[in-house]
């Protein structure tokens, strides 16, 4: 392409997208994306790439150069880039690349394997050694809020216990059932022990994305909130 040109939107922000129609189906193995920026605006941090019926998320640490996102062998004749997390404004790209093997011949698609049956059942064995990290993305403090966890799946993947405080985001809210079936998600009524706490938008370092975190006024407050608190008035039983 022409290095002196850019793809620029008119204030589309997080809703911006661009689609490329290839002349024939191709095996796409990776894409490259160099976000444009205007300093405090117009920068893309996270985007989605869609090839055929495959969609995945790609991250951009900065707008200094193009970053490659590997997507495996994906077959399609249309590639779509969709902004997911931006600094708003006239977002776009200085450079976009689609890498793979273009072919005008018919590509045989592998048959999709059958979907496995649901595994969330009372006999499920949970691996409690694997804990996910809740990292809620944000841009400003007003994106963040403190919540009390009132729902809990049979096999939780995070270390946030019931009735404990955590920082959530209006941009990226946390699914307390973690995608599991509602019948296997415990629901309780908790005392609001977090009403005096505050959530802020925090960026640990320049190479990481900003995320919502609970702001504590002292170590003693942190320890008292972090303890597992008694649950009362249960509305759903726990599967054993």
């Amino acid at each position: 392409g022409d290095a002196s040109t850019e793809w620029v939107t008119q204030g589309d922000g997080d809703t911006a997208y661009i689609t490329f129609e290839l002349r024939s189906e191709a095996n796409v193995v990776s894409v490259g994306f160099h976000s444009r920026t205007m300093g405090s605006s117009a920068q893309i941090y996270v985007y989605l790439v869609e090839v055929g019926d495959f969609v995945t998320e790609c991250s951009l640490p900065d707008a200094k150069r193009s970053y490659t996102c590997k997507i495996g062998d994906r077959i399609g004749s249309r590639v779509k880039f969709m902004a997911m997390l931006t600094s708003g404004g006239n977002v776009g790209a200085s450079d976009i690349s689609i890498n793979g093997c273009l072919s005008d011949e018919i590509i045989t698609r592998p048959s999709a394997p059958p979907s496995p049956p649901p595994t969330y059942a009372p006999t499920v064995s949970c691996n409690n050694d694997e804990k996910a990290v809740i990292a809620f993305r944000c841009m400003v403090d007003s994106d963040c809020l403190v919540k009390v966890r009132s729902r809990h799946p049979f096999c939780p993947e995070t270390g946030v216990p019931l009735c404990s405080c955590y920082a959530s985001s209006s941009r990226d809210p946390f699914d307390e059932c973690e995608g599991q079936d509602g019948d296997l998600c415990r629901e309780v009524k908790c005392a609001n022990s977090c009403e005096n706490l505050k959530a802020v938008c925090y960026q640990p370092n320049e190479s990481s994305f900003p995320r919502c975190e609970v702001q504590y006024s002292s170590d003693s407050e942190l320890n008292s909130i972090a303890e597992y608190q008694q649950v009362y008035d249960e509305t759903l039983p726990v599967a054993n």
Side-chain angles (χ1 to χ4, degrees):
D2 188 345
S4 64
T5 62
E6 291 184 323
W7 165 53
V8 183
T9 64
Q10 294 184 337
D12 289 357
D14 292 354
T15 63
Y17 69 90
I18 185 171
T19 304
F20 294 88
E21 297 282 354
L22 307 179
R23 74 168 185 264
S24 65
E25 286 195 323
N27 276 339
V28 181
V29 297
S30 67
V31 296
F33 200 99
H34 183 180
S35 173
R36 73 182 302 266
T37 182
M38 297 179 66
S40 60
S41 66
Q43 185 170 335
I44 297 176
Y45 302 109
V46 181
Y47 67 92
L48 298 177
V49 59
E50 177 183 296
V51 181
D53 56 1
F54 172 81
V55 180
T56 191
E57 178 181 310
C58 302
S59 301
L60 299 170
D62 53 55
K64 297 178 182 179
R65 63 179 179 86
S66 178
Y67 287 91
T68 299
C69 182
K70 296 181 179 180
I71 62 174
D73 291 318
R74 307 298 171 183
I75 299 174
S77 59
R78 174 184 297 177
V79 182
K80 185 176 183 180
F81 296 81
M82 298 164 283
M84 183 177 178
L85 179 64
T86 73
S87 57
N90 302 331
V91 301
S94 300
D95 182 68
I96 298 175
S97 62
I98 301 171
N99 310 308
C101 178
L102 184 66
S103 173
D104 292 323
E105 300 178 355
I106 297 177
I107 299 175
T108 303
R109 299 176 182 273
S111 57
S115 300
T119 57
Y120 296 116
T123 56
V124 170
S125 173
C126 301
N127 184 355
N128 295 321
D129 293 330
E130 295 183 4
K131 301 295 183 183
V133 176
I134 302 178
F136 298 114
R137 294 176 181 143
C138 58
M139 295 298 296
V140 293
D141 287 348
S142 60
D143 291 337
C144 305
L145 65 157
V146 177
K147 296 192 68 176
V148 181
R149 185 165 192 175
S150 61
R151 306 192 75 190
H152 207 254
F154 178 71
C155 288
E157 295 180 358
T158 72
V160 181
L162 279 169
C163 293
S164 290
C165 309
Y166 70 93
S168 186
S169 168
S170 58
R171 287 175 172 264
D172 187 20
F174 173 51
D175 174 14
E176 294 188 348
C177 286
E178 300 179 24
Q180 295 187 21
D181 190 277
D183 293 339
L184 295 175
C185 188
R186 184 183 188 185
E187 183 176 356
V188 299
K189 184 177 180 181
C190 306
N192 187 8
S193 59
C194 312
E195 57 184 350
N196 296 322
L197 297 181
K198 178 183 178 182
V200 297
C201 189
Y202 171 69
Q203 184 175 10
N205 52 65
E206 294 182 356
S207 62
S208 62
F209 293 109
R211 64 173 183 263
C212 293
E213 288 197 354
V214 177
Q215 186 178 61
Y216 300 94
S217 59
S218 65
D219 291 340
S220 60
E221 184 179 66
L222 170 61
N223 294 332
S224 65
I225 295 296
E227 294 177 357
Y228 186 91
Q229 302 177 27
Q230 185 175 2
V231 179
Y232 63 94
D233 193 15
E234 297 188 3
T235 58
L236 289 178
V238 181
N240 293 317

